[in-house]
Structures are given as C-alpha cells and as structure tokens.
Amino acid sequence: MSDTQKELLKTLAVRPGRPLRGETDVPGDKSISHRAVMFGALATGVTRVHRFLPGQDCLSTIDCFRKLGVRIERPSPSEVVVYGQGPGGLKEPSEVLDVGNSGTTIRLMSGILSGLPFLSIITGDASIRRRPMGRVTRPLLEMGASIWGRENATKAPLAINGASMALEAIDYVSPVASAQVKSAVLLAGLFAEGRTSVREPLLSRDHTERMLTAFGAKIERSADGRTASVEGFPELRAQEIEVPGDISSAAFLLVAASIVPGSELVLRNIGLNPTRDGVIEVLRAMGGHVQVENAREAAGELVADLVVRSASLKGTTIGGSIIPRLIDELPIIAVAALFAEGTTEIRDAAEMRVKETDRIAVMAGELRKLGADVEERPDGMIIRGGAALRGAETESHGDHRVAMAMAVAGLLAEGETVIHDAGSIDVSFPGFAALLERLRS
C-alpha cells in the first residue's frame, strides 16, 4: 500500500445526504472472536471459528498465541482454525507478546499466562501502556503468579512468570464491574486447585462464562449472575463456533438509522446477549423504533435480526445497572442524544475514562467542535439536544468508537465533517465507511 493510500485511510469525510436503507450484516462480535481463539488454544482438538472478526484487535490475539506455539490457520479473513493441544501445548515465547491496542487481549491473556510455567513479556501500544492493569494483576498475584511491571505491576509492559505448581483458588470480590477483570481471574482459575470465584458489584458481560461452559469447563453462577466460579483443571474440548454480529458495531447503524429521517435498516444475525443489549433498551426509552425478529440461539448466545426505523427521539437518563450493558456504546448514544428533544444525562459511567481514550473528555470535546451542547461530568456527561451542528475537522484520538461516532454525527451536520486518524475503525469494523456509503446510495 502506498503512503497516499495509507493517508486516505486515516481520514474520513462525511456529508449529510440520503437516508440509510437496506439490509446488512455487521462484523463478527469482537469479544466472542477473541475468546474463541483463546479457548481453542487451551482446548484439545481442532476449533473452527466462523464469521471471525478480522479486525486489528482480534488479529493481535492470533499473533500472541502463534508466538506461544499454537498452530492457527485462516482459510479466509473471517474463518479461523485453531489446532489446540491443551495448556501443555503452549510454549515459552521467544518474542515479546504485542497486543497492539487490544485491552481484551492483554487482560485475558494475563490470566492465562499466570497459570503457565514459563516467563512471558506482554505489552501493547501507547494507549495500552496507559491503561490500568492493577485491577487484573492484584488478584493474579494473590493466586500465586509472579508479575513485574511499571508502577508496581499496574501498567504494561508486564513480565509474567506463571506458577510452576497449581495456582491458589480464591474468592475474589472485584471493586469494578468488568468482564475483563472477571475473565482474567476465571481463566487463571483454570490452573488452580479447587474452585475460583469472582463477585462483581454489577453484572458485566458473560461471554467467558458461556463459552467456557461450551468448551467443557464447570462454571457456576449465582442467581443474580454477579458471582461466577470455575473448577480448576478441566479438560476443554474443541468446538465449532459461529460468531454472531457485534451489537457494539450494530449500535452505530442503529443510531444512524434512528436519527436520519426516512431511514430503515435490517441488521442480520446480531448477538443479543442480555449482558450486552442495553443500547436497544436506551433507544427504545428515547422513542426509537427497534424491532427484534427471528430470534434464535447459536452456540449459547441469543441471535436475532434487528429492524430499525427513523424516529423522533427524546432525552433520557442513563445510569446504574444498565451501564455495564452498554459501556462501549455510550459514545454513539451521546450522538443520538444530540438529535433528541430535551436533555440526556449519562452518569455512573466513569469506566469510560479508562477505555482506549478518556471517552468522556474526548467525546465531549469533539462533539463541541460541531457546535453540540455537551457538559462533561466526572462520571458521564449532560447533552442538550437540538443544537444545529456544523461540519468541522475532528480527531478520533486513535479510538475506533470515537471515529465512528463522529462519522454518524456528521450525517446530520451542515457541510463536511472530517475525522482524522479514522484508520482506527479497522480495530472493530473493517469496511465501515464503505458500508455507510452503500446504505445511503
């Protein structure tokens, strides 16, 4: 690829125009794609993953496990074959494990590496090196792993020397509702004698619990779902996995179709895991028209088609227990609020500040460039709808969800909205810009 082509990929320009109409799939779920590769590598046998997300984050996971000695093939961009030989098939890497921009990869792999009897060094890009790792390393150290890193092992790079003997099972009470923290501890629990449990203040996404069960692990959950436990040393068996469409990617199209008059879209095969479907609940509370059709179950996950039509939205308050169910969708929900009548308040969402960027500060700042009335709060933001937006030069700050959110905002801004560093979109939604144009043609 030439330097000019690379530069074009970095900048996305959007103008208002036609409504969005038609039917489409969205890329495979990022969370499930990561876990399918990881668990396939820990299992015995050949795991085949269909509709894998070929975004940069998930490709980083493949790269890391190849460096650990796992044979992984890609017959096509969205098909992955993992030749698992159980945990004993993983070998000490001769290179540093580089997760790129993937927080899921570094946090979940930290749990796995803590149970393997060799030294690994794992790091990522500048964003990863700024993100908090102490929430993961603290329980892993308690289980018996040896971990070194910057700022007392709370920042990457991390050196992890897994236990030569079994880890110690723990009952961990997490201070945050985080699927990554929960998953890291449960994955370390696979290498511990006895039962390891994690208790959360609120229920976070449960893909790890569902998929580990499908692979043969013994997982138990409390009635409220906030406590999950795993028995150590299960024999994981290879699986055939069909990855559903990612609700976090679908959210950008759901909002775009909701706010652009005359729009109607059908989004096929979308994962509707009940710990991830908060964006639909919020759009409906705002007056959006989102229908669920053809619901079915695939590989332990609820999958359905979504029909969304343009609507007159109204402001709402978003907070409390729904936040973990839509934490990644809050940037695009903020865009929906710009075009709603009245005021929308997002609260209890301080976790937004420790994502790829400080998404509260970044979204508030970038939306104000378009003329939006957005007030930043420590744990969220207040958005007053109805302001006339004007196209402007904006920045993604290297955050894929910020880039796509700004592109959707540009669909109703006067003139041209330019998003710089839009190449970050490929982390989760390769082909987003082209799809947006196709649905408006």
Side-chain angles (χ1 to χ4, degrees):
M1 181 181 294
S2 70
D3 290 342
T4 301
Q5 287 173 313
K6 289 179 182 177
E7 189 61 35
L8 288 172
L9 283 176
K10 291 180 182 177
T11 302
L12 173 60
V14 179
R15 286 181 172 272
R18 302 183 186 88
L20 292 83
R21 304 188 71 84
E23 298 187 13
T24 188
D25 294 306
V26 301
D29 189 280
K30 186 155 73 81
S31 296
I32 294 174
S33 295
H34 279 301
R35 288 162 173 79
V37 171
M38 292 182 184
F39 302 172
L42 294 174
T44 300
V46 180
T47 292
R48 301 181 188 277
V49 187
H50 309 284
R51 299 191 72 245
F52 174 84
L53 170 62
Q56 287 303 314
D57 277 11
C58 296
L59 296 179
S60 292
T61 292
I62 287 179
D63 179 66
C64 286
F65 276 93
R66 282 175 170 163
K67 288 177 179 175
L68 289 168
V70 180
R71 177 185 167 197
I72 302 175
E73 296 177 353
R74 294 180 64 205
S76 72
S78 59
E79 302 288 320
V80 172
V81 183
V82 183
Y83 294 86
Q85 299 182 55
L90 301 179
K91 306 300 181 186
E92 183 172 85
S94 59
E95 303 175 64
V96 170
L97 304 177
D98 186 349
V99 307
N101 188 239
S102 180
T104 299
T105 306
I106 194 167
R107 289 188 173 130
L108 270 63
M109 285 200 71
S110 293
I112 293 170
L113 296 173
S114 292
L116 299 175
F118 48 71
L119 176 67
S120 303
I121 298 173
I122 190 165
T123 191
D125 66 9
S127 170
I128 286 294
R129 296 193 299 273
R130 288 192 300 268
R131 294 174 73 173
M133 285 297 296
R135 54 176 59 182
V136 168
T137 58
R138 278 189 288 270
L140 298 178
L141 287 164
E142 187 179 339
M143 296 178 76
S146 297
I147 305 176
W148 302 268
R150 293 168 46 236
E151 298 182 25
N152 199 25
T154 64
K155 296 283 180 66
L158 298 175
I160 302 176
N161 202 356
S164 57
M165 306 291 286
L167 292 172
E168 181 179 344
I170 62 171
D171 296 317
Y172 184 63
V173 179
S174 176
V176 294
S178 166
Q180 293 179 356
V181 173
K182 173 174 63 176
S183 297
V185 177
L186 292 176
L187 290 171
L190 297 176
F191 303 91
E193 292 285 1
R195 187 184 73 172
T196 295
S197 70
V198 183
R199 177 75 174 170
E200 301 182 284
L202 296 169
L203 175 62
S204 66
R205 60 182 65 177
D206 66 355
H207 299 302
T208 292
E209 297 96 303
R210 290 171 181 263
M211 192 178 291
L212 278 179
T213 298
F215 272 83
K218 185 178 179 182
I219 301 286
E220 293 183 357
R221 291 196 271 183
S222 61
D224 63 4
R226 289 165 49 202
T227 299
S229 63
V230 63
E231 294 289 339
F233 298 102
E235 292 187 15
L236 303 183
R237 300 178 298 277
Q239 298 294 308
E240 194 97 6
I241 298 173
E242 187 81 24
V243 181
D246 197 325
I247 184 67
S248 296
S249 296
F252 296 97
L253 300 178
L254 289 173
V255 169
S258 294
I259 64 176
V260 177
S263 296
E264 181 173 350
L265 292 179
V266 178
L267 308 181
R268 299 186 297 259
N269 304 311
I270 306 301
L272 293 186
N273 182 298
T275 64
R276 296 277 304 281
D277 62 356
V279 63
I280 296 174
E281 184 176 326
V282 165
L283 283 176
R284 286 173 170 170
M286 297 177 77
H289 301 313
V290 183
Q291 295 174 236
V292 176
E293 298 184 350
N294 192 26
R296 65 261 187 210
E297 190 171 294
E301 296 280 353
L302 180 64
V303 180
D305 302 330
L306 300 179
V307 181
V308 56
R309 300 178 182 86
S310 58
S312 298
L313 302 182
K314 60 181 184 295
T316 190
T317 298
I318 306 163
S321 62
I322 197 172
I323 292 297
R325 293 170 50 209
L326 46 61
I327 189 68
D328 286 337
E329 291 72 69
L330 288 172
I332 189 60
I333 288 172
V335 171
L338 297 179
F339 303 99
E341 180 183 351
T343 298
T344 295
E345 181 180 1
I346 298 171
R347 61 191 186 201
D348 305 320
E351 188 73 10
M352 289 179 72
R353 293 196 182 274
V354 292
K355 292 290 185 176
E356 284 84 338
T357 58
D358 178 343
R359 286 179 175 162
I360 294 174
V362 166
M363 284 301 301
E366 296 303 318
L367 290 175
R368 282 196 288 260
K369 291 179 181 178
L370 304 182
D373 187 350
V374 183
E375 179 183 342
E376 182 180 340
R377 292 291 180 88
D379 65 343
M381 59 185 83
I382 295 176
I383 304 138
R384 298 173 182 89
L389 301 189
R390 304 174 304 279
E393 301 265 339
T394 68
E395 300 286 342
S396 79
H397 300 262
D399 189 325
H400 54 125
R401 301 201 195 280
V402 171
M404 289 184 279
M406 297 308 297
V408 173
L411 297 177
L412 287 177
E414 181 183 352
E416 184 176 72
T417 298
V418 176
I419 303 99
H420 295 289
D421 200 10
S424 59
I425 291 172
D426 284 347
V427 163
S428 61
F429 204 146
F432 170 78
L435 176 60
L436 201 60
E437 280 306 300
R438 177 173 71 78
L439 295 172
R440 301 167 72 205
S441 62

